[in-house]
Amino acid sequence: MKKLFTLSMLAVAALTGANAADFPIKDKPVTIVVPFTAGGPTDRVARDLAEALRKPLGANVVVENVAGAGGTIGANKVAKAPQDGHTLLLHHIGMATSPALYRKMPYNTMDDFEYLGLINEVPMTLIGRPTLPATNFKELQAWIAQNKGTVNLGNAGLGAASHLCGLLFQSALKVDMTTVPYKGTAPAMNDLMGGQIDLLCDQTTNTTSQIEGKTVKAFAVTSMKRLSTPALKNLPTLDESGLKGFEVTIWHGLYAPKGTPADVTAKINKALKVALKDPEFIKKQQGLGAVVVTDKRVEPAEHKKFVASEIAKWGPVIQAAGVYAD
Ligand code: ASP
C-alpha cells in the first residue's frame, strides 16, 4: 500500500514536472488567488502575506483576484490549477460554510486541496452608513425595529463571511433584511460609505481604517471579548450588547491543488511558517485587529482537521437558517 502511494506521488510529480528541487521555477511567480475583489479584507491579508512570503519562498509572489459566488469561483479555479505549487488559494471561513450553502459545489473542500496551514484569525464588526441616525447598538436595534422591511445589508455573496455574519445577525434579532450581494466587501464598503446600503458586517482587516476615519458608523464587534486594537477597543461586543453568545471569528488558510507533490507543499509550508513570524507582517495584522496563528495551527494536518470541525460546526446552523443556492 505504502509503495503504491509512493508510486502515485511519483506519477503526479512526473505529470506536473514539479518537485522541490525545481520549485519555485526560476522567474515564474507564485500566484495567490483571492476569491474576492481587490481592496477588501481577504485581499489585504493576501497582499501582506505575499510580501512576507517572497523572501522565504525565493520567488515573486503575486495576488490574483478571482471574485464571485461567495468565493467558490476562485476556489474552484485553484482546485483545477496545475499542481506545481505556483497557484495557491488564500480563503477564509467560506471554505467551511459553502458546502452547506451550495447544493452543487464545483469542488470538494476536503478532497480537492492540499492544506498548507492556517494564517490568522480575524473578528468582524457591525458597521452602518454614516447617515444612519443611530449612534450605538441600542439605538440601532430600535431603528431596525422601526424600519422593518426596508433595512438592507450588504454582503460578498452566499458563502462569504459577511453573509454568514448577516445570517446570524438577522436570526438573533428575528428580523428579515434585504441582502445586497457584491463580489467582495470592498465594493460593499464603497456603497455603505455612499449611503446606498444601510449595514455591513465585515472583517476588521477592511473596517479598521474606515472606523478610525469615521467614514462609517461602528456598532459592535463579533468576538466574545473586546479588542485591543486602538481604533476598535471602545466597541462593545454583540454578546454584551444583548445578543448572548453571538460570536463569529474568521480565519484564513492557504491551499494548493490536490496532487501538488508533497515535497513542494512542504517547501511552501516551511516558507509560510517563516512568513507568519515576520515582525512586519505580525505588526500590520495586529493593527487591523487580526491575530496571526502560530505553531501547531500552521501544520497542514491541523489545518485540515480544523476545517473539518468548522464544516461540522456551521453546517447545522446554516441548514437551520434554510438558506441555500442551487
Ligand atoms: N469580507 C468578505 C466576506 O464577506 C470577502 C472579501 O471581500 O474579502 O467574506
Side-chain angles (χ1 to χ4, degrees):
M1 192 62 191
K2 193 160 184 253
K3 206 168 204 167
L4 261 182
F5 174 72
T6 311
L7 280 174
S8 72
M9 291 308 291
L10 280 176
V12 168
L15 272 177
T16 59
N19 62 57
D22 52 30
F23 173 82
I25 298 165
K26 197 172 174 299
D27 296 332
K28 185 176 175 172
V30 169
T31 299
I32 298 182
V33 171
V34 169
F36 298 102
T37 46
T42 316
D43 184 69
R44 177 74 273 137
V45 174
R47 285 177 199 270
D48 289 350
L49 183 70
E51 215 171 299
L53 268 176
R54 263 170 217 143
K55 210 163 148 205
L57 211 49
N60 186 19
V61 184
V62 297
V63 172
E64 184 189 353
N65 300 88
V66 183
T72 55
I73 295 176
N76 189 41
K77 179 169 178 178
V78 177
K80 316 247 174 346
Q83 302 137 325
D84 60 4
H86 279 268
T87 309
L88 308 177
L89 170 71
L90 188 149
H91 201 351
H92 61 27
I93 193 169
M95 264 321 246
T97 55
S98 40
L101 285 161
Y102 287 82
R103 285 195 171 156
K104 282 187 229 123
M105 278 283 280
Y107 56 86
N108 185 302
T109 305
M110 298 313 294
D111 297 342
D112 292 348
F113 297 94
E114 302 294 343
Y115 285 64
L116 301 171
L118 284 167
I119 299 164
N120 64 5
E121 285 195 336
V122 191
M124 301 189 90
T125 43
L126 179 68
I127 55 177
R129 62 175 157 87
T131 46
L132 265 188
T135 56
N136 57 41
F137 186 74
K138 214 168 158 217
E139 289 175 16
L140 177 71
Q141 242 180 313
W143 179 83
I144 292 172
Q146 279 156 17
N147 291 279
K148 261 190 192 155
T150 64
V151 178
N152 62 48
L153 177 68
N155 70 31
L158 230 68
S162 46
H163 173 243
L164 176 69
C165 182
L167 267 186
L168 297 176
F169 185 56
Q170 291 173 83
S171 122
L173 289 186
K174 299 187 180 57
V175 173
D176 281 336
M177 297 177 192
T178 306
T179 48
V180 185
Y182 296 82
K183 287 186 175 180
T185 41
M189 177 66 93
N190 282 340
D191 276 6
L192 187 78
M193 289 191 296
Q196 281 88 14
I197 55 171
D198 297 318
L199 295 170
L200 177 66
C201 183
D202 201 17
Q203 287 104 300
T204 57
T205 37
N206 196 30
T207 62
T208 303
S209 56
Q210 312 298 353
I211 293 172
E212 210 169 11
K214 298 195 177 14
T215 52
V216 294
K217 280 195 172 167
F219 296 104
V221 291
T222 65
S223 46
M224 287 302 271
K225 276 198 198 150
R226 288 192 182 207
L227 305 175
S228 57
T229 310
L232 307 170
K233 66 172 194 264
N234 291 329
L235 277 182
T237 67
L238 280 171
D239 176 75
E240 74 177 78
S241 304
L243 304 189
K244 283 280 154 244
F246 194 111
E247 189 192 11
V248 197
T249 300
I250 301 314
W251 41 268
H252 294 92
L254 197 64
Y255 308 81
K258 184 78 185 178
T260 305
D263 49 0
V264 173
T265 57
K267 220 169 174 176
I268 301 169
N269 173 259
K270 201 170 158 204
L272 177 64
K273 283 180 182 148
V274 175
L276 298 188
K277 291 220 158 86
D278 180 330
E280 210 28 54
F281 178 71
I282 295 173
K283 202 172 131 205
K284 279 187 202 161
Q285 292 294 298
Q286 274 172 350
L288 297 172
V291 177
V292 177
V293 304
T294 52
D295 309 322
K296 246 177 95 180
R297 304 202 71 197
V298 196
E299 295 303 334
E302 272 301 308
H303 177 194
K304 193 166 185 178
K305 213 162 90 188
F306 176 69
V307 174
S309 75
E310 287 281 286
I311 291 176
K313 172 178 170 180
W314 294 111
V317 177
I318 292 164
Q319 265 148 28
V323 194
Y324 61 84
D326 283 318

